[in-house]
Amino acid sequence: MSGETDAAKKSVPSDLDENALFFHQNPVPGKLEIRATKPLGNQRDLALAYSPGVAAPCLAIAADPARAADYTARANLVAVVSNGSAVLGLGNIGPLASKPVMEGKAVLFKKFAGIDVFDIEIDAPGVERMVDVVSALEPTFGGINLEDIKSPECFEVEERLRDMMGIPVFHDDQHGTAIIVAAGILNGLELAGKSIETAKIVTSGAGAAALACLNLLVSLGASLHNIIVTDIDGVVYDGRPGEIDRWKAVFARQTEHRTLEQAIDGADVFLGLSAAGVLKPEYLAKMAENPLIMALANPVPEIMPDAAREARPDAMICTGRSDFPNQVNNVLCFPYIFRGALDCGARTINEAMKAAAVTAIAQLAREEPSDIAARAYSGETPIFGPDYLIPSPFDQRLILRIAPAVAKAAMESGVAARPIEDMDAYRDRLNRFVFRSGLVMKPVISSAQAAATHKVIYADGEDERVLRAAQIVLEDRIAEPILVGRPEVVEARLKRYGLRIRPDRDFELVNPENDPRYRDYVDHLIAIGGRQGFTPDYARTLVRTNATVISAIALMRGEADAMICGLDGRYERHLRTVRSIVGVREGARDLSALSMLISGNGMTFFTDTYVSIDPTAEELAEMTLLAAEEIRRFGVEPKAALLSHSNFGSRDSASAAKMRRAVEILHAAQPELCVDGEMHADSALNPELRARVLPHSILEGEANLLVFPNLDAANITLNAVKSMTDALHVGPILLGTQRPAHVLTTSVTSRGVVNMTAIAAVEAAQAAAQGGTHAGTAVTGR
């Protein structure tokens, strides 16, 4: 591709640009890799994987092509195919430049639905070449996702491939958008007391997405006579001069209207897939009562929600943006539609399957949240209404509703080559995937964003990781940061790292060398620490020099809602400060630390990884209950295993007896908690192995909370597993404090600081809801 594209000329914030380039380049270029699923540890493995063993599955597939689903990855492999002719927001940048986008799409498939993807960018600007290339890929893939192909060629390409190929072909720009839009419109009309059969729908935009939306709405009952389409040339009407392609011509109608302003008179629904600012506030006065406005142009919609709300307070508003309610986001559906289609061997994705997805999404928004879902969103999960017509893209229930609905529709419509025989078992398999997806932090972050903004103070305010995290925290509306640091150092480092945020404008900066509250802080420290060795002279020195002390005092004085420290120096030193100033919550014996590892196998919690050297049985029980309560913030039901060198009584040491006693205390304190022990780690993580050792263990499935007999075992295991699996460490999460306070470690990354900020903000929100008491559960049966 020659010449400089318009996209290349567009300016972007320098720090975002640099961070994106660094992200895509390190630790290795790109966002994807291929990993073997079978061992190759010896000569026999090699003989089975390749020659001569590979002949057996080859011959089996030659005899029965359906066996490819049994012996190869094809049934879980999708091609994301693009010619780069209409990349969202960038235009016709060509196939090579579109590759980062297609890799991104592949990551979404994998993260949200466990589907493997090869991204395939093809030099095929014309319809014929594209059809030839893509159709030839059928032996490799279980499905084809067409992406970012310009209109109207995208219609013909998909239409011809669907006729030629025996696997699903899905142009997400059309149908993914259409499915989410249709779900939102059904729910909006329901709230307004209107029906789709009689609703007047006016569109701005007549590209692939808009026409696909209208086609799906017609299949769901909308009347062609009630739809008016406008494009860059005005209303698409019967007899309009100039060429109108056959897909747009379906919606040409006899009307006197020639402009959007005229057409919108009496409209129940405005559907915008066009350009910023097209829908003027004064147009809204002409719409029907309780109008639904879907302004989906990105990044700036046809009308901003605040302007629409001011003009029509009774309006329901959807956009394509994540910073407003009712986001129309294709990730709500495309991973799960393919999940259902692949799992039943669907030969196509037909109208029945799309309608099933629409219904599943619309109904999910109307569901009462489960206890687990409510806990994941701080007990404030949005309720069906004008600001919640569409579920969050990160609602963990999406895959559980959409994939089975799509598979069921495929089977009922006769396009499933491998019908699912046991739907309950299938749903259970999907449920297990949800908690292995690595997206467990998203409900916590969403919860922090949904709550009233809370102030989080960072003791290490001069650290690069904190500065980078603070910008993300502000941009994502997770919390309001307060940084402890010298102004000249912070300013210099912000400029050095190319960060946009500035003290006093974007965040509060506490200067330890010159703070007007200095005397008050010294008095506070003397008042609470006079019997802990804090003499007046020592207190004055600490308040000038110790950022963790400053942060802890600010927290206890109510000037911050949570604190984060520990990025520099010994963990024990920071912990001692927190214990002295913040203190242990009433009813708790002591503090403990919970760590979470997120890997390809899912998430696992470890306790106590940093605090208690050799806890008693009572202390083990208490830290287990505190950990269980924390785990529920992630929308996960805890399953605890108390670990030992003894496996259900196989050894009779003091350590084994301690773990046994802790289990007894837990069963008495919280009989409903899923917990068992003492047991080996492999028994905790392998239900089949555990069943052979103790068939009647009350622990169900894989344990997700591992409780260790002492600090040595916990910390060594955590760091060994983290290094061996390249898992993401979240934590340590300090439990048992009076107010949210967390001591991190020197190895934490800026991403880790952001994650811990979200956790701290959610804890602060829940504490505020409970009247200032830090949420937690202490042992009641000791």
Side-chain angles (χ1 to χ4, degrees), residues 91 134 136 199 261 306 353 416 432 453 589 608 613 685 732:
V134 177
E261 183 179 7
D306 51 353
M353 295 161 72
R432 291 198 302 273
T453 303
R589 286 180 170 82
D608 172 9
I613 295 175
L685 299 172

Side-chain angles (χ1 to χ4, degrees), residues 468-547:
R468 292 190 181 279
Q471 179 155 305
I472 296 170
V473 164
L474 282 165
E475 289 175 347
D476 291 352
R477 298 171 291 107
I478 294 172
E480 184 178 329
I482 303 172
L483 275 57
V484 180
R486 295 162 292 177
E488 66 277 9
V489 175
V490 171
E491 287 277 11
R493 292 182 179 178
L494 288 171
K495 291 177 182 176
R496 182 195 307 169
Y497 305 137
L499 300 175
R500 294 190 305 275
I501 57 173
R502 291 292 179 269
D504 300 325
R505 185 190 71 188
D506 301 305
F507 62 89
E508 180 183 344
L509 181 63
V510 177
N511 180 5
E513 297 178 343
N514 183 22
D515 189 280
R517 297 165 295 187
Y518 169 72
R519 293 186 182 279
D520 294 335
Y521 276 36
V522 171
D523 291 342
H524 184 97
L525 185 55
I526 294 171
I528 67 171
R531 296 183 182 276
Q532 301 179 47
F534 292 107
T535 65
D537 286 344
Y538 186 40
R540 282 190 285 270
T541 300
L542 287 176
V543 174
R544 279 279 189 237
T545 61
N546 192 314

Side-chain angles (χ1 to χ4, degrees), residues 361-379:
I361 293 167
Q363 289 179 347
L364 179 57
R366 304 180 194 185
E367 280 187 30
E368 284 189 17
S370 65
D371 291 342
I372 292 292
R375 283 195 293 266
Y377 291 91
S378 293

Side-chain angles (χ1 to χ4, degrees), residues 88 105 145 147-148 170-185 207-214 216-217 271-274 294-298 319-320 327-334 337 354 358 361 390:
L88 181 63
K105 189 84 171 191
N145 183 94
E147 192 76 16
D148 292 349
F170 188 82
H171 186 213
D172 183 49
D173 298 329
Q174 296 179 54
H175 308 299
T177 302
I179 288 165
I180 311 305
V181 164
I185 287 178
L211 296 181
C213 290
L214 294 177
L216 183 56
L217 290 171
L271 174 58
L273 286 150
S274 53
M294 307 198 87
L296 307 183
N298 254 329
T319 70
Q327 183 192 14
V328 175
N329 188 330
N330 289 11
V331 80
L332 271 163
C333 71
F334 74 78
I337 289 173
K354 289 188 283 185
V358 171
I361 293 167
I390 303 169

Side-chain angles (χ1 to χ4, degrees), residues 287-535:
M287 295 186 72
E289 184 180 1
N290 299 317
L292 174 59
I293 299 167
M294 307 198 87
L296 307 183
N298 254 329
V300 182
E302 284 80 1
I303 187 170
M304 292 297 290
D306 51 353
R309 186 83 64 193
E310 183 178 352
R312 286 297 298 263
D314 61 334
M316 294 168 281
I317 306 162
C318 303
T319 70
R321 293 169 54 133
S322 61
D323 53 345
F324 292 105
N326 296 322
Q327 183 192 14
V328 175
N329 188 330
N330 289 11
V331 80
L332 271 163
C333 71
F334 74 78
Y336 316 123
I337 289 173
F338 269 98
R339 182 73 280 161
L342 292 172
D343 290 339
C344 69
R347 292 183 289 272
T348 187
I349 295 175
N350 58 24
E351 292 304 309
M353 295 161 72
K354 289 188 283 185
V358 171
T359 301
I361 293 167
Q363 289 179 347
L364 179 57
R366 304 180 194 185
E367 280 187 30
E368 284 189 17
S370 65
D371 291 342
I372 292 292
R375 283 195 293 266
Y377 291 91
S378 293
E380 297 183 6
T381 306
I383 303 300
F384 179 56
D387 288 333
Y388 190 62
L389 301 174
I390 303 169
S392 161
F394 291 94
D395 193 314
Q396 295 173 331
R397 297 169 293 173
L398 283 164
I399 191 172
L400 307 178
R401 303 294 186 272
I402 299 173
V406 168
K408 186 171 182 287
M411 292 187 288
E412 291 176 350
S413 60
V415 297
R418 300 187 307 278
I420 297 170
E421 297 180 2
D422 188 339
M423 288 299 290
D424 288 337
Y426 177 56
R427 290 188 181 92
D428 183 61
R429 177 160 65 88
L430 294 175
N431 192 59
R432 291 198 302 273
F433 167 77
V434 166
F435 298 109
R436 291 179 176 272
S437 65
L439 295 168
V440 291
M441 277 306 302
K442 188 57 192 180
V444 177
I445 292 173
S446 296
S447 180
Q449 292 169 328
T453 303
H454 286 82
K455 296 181 178 180
V456 177
I457 188 166
Y458 302 85
D460 303 282
E462 298 175 0
D463 192 287
E464 176 185 357
R465 293 164 292 177
V466 168
L467 294 172
R468 292 190 181 279
Q471 179 155 305
I472 296 170
V473 164
L474 282 165
E475 289 175 347
D476 291 352
R477 298 171 291 107
I478 294 172
E480 184 178 329
I482 303 172
L483 275 57
V484 180
R486 295 162 292 177
E488 66 277 9
V489 175
V490 171
E491 287 277 11
R493 292 182 179 178
L494 288 171
K495 291 177 182 176
R496 182 195 307 169
Y497 305 137
L499 300 175
R500 294 190 305 275
I501 57 173
R502 291 292 179 269
D504 300 325
R505 185 190 71 188
D506 301 305
F507 62 89
E508 180 183 344
L509 181 63
V510 177
N511 180 5
E513 297 178 343
N514 183 22
D515 189 280
R517 297 165 295 187
Y518 169 72
R519 293 186 182 279
D520 294 335
Y521 276 36
V522 171
D523 291 342
H524 184 97
L525 185 55
I526 294 171
I528 67 171
R531 296 183 182 276
Q532 301 179 47
F534 292 107
T535 65

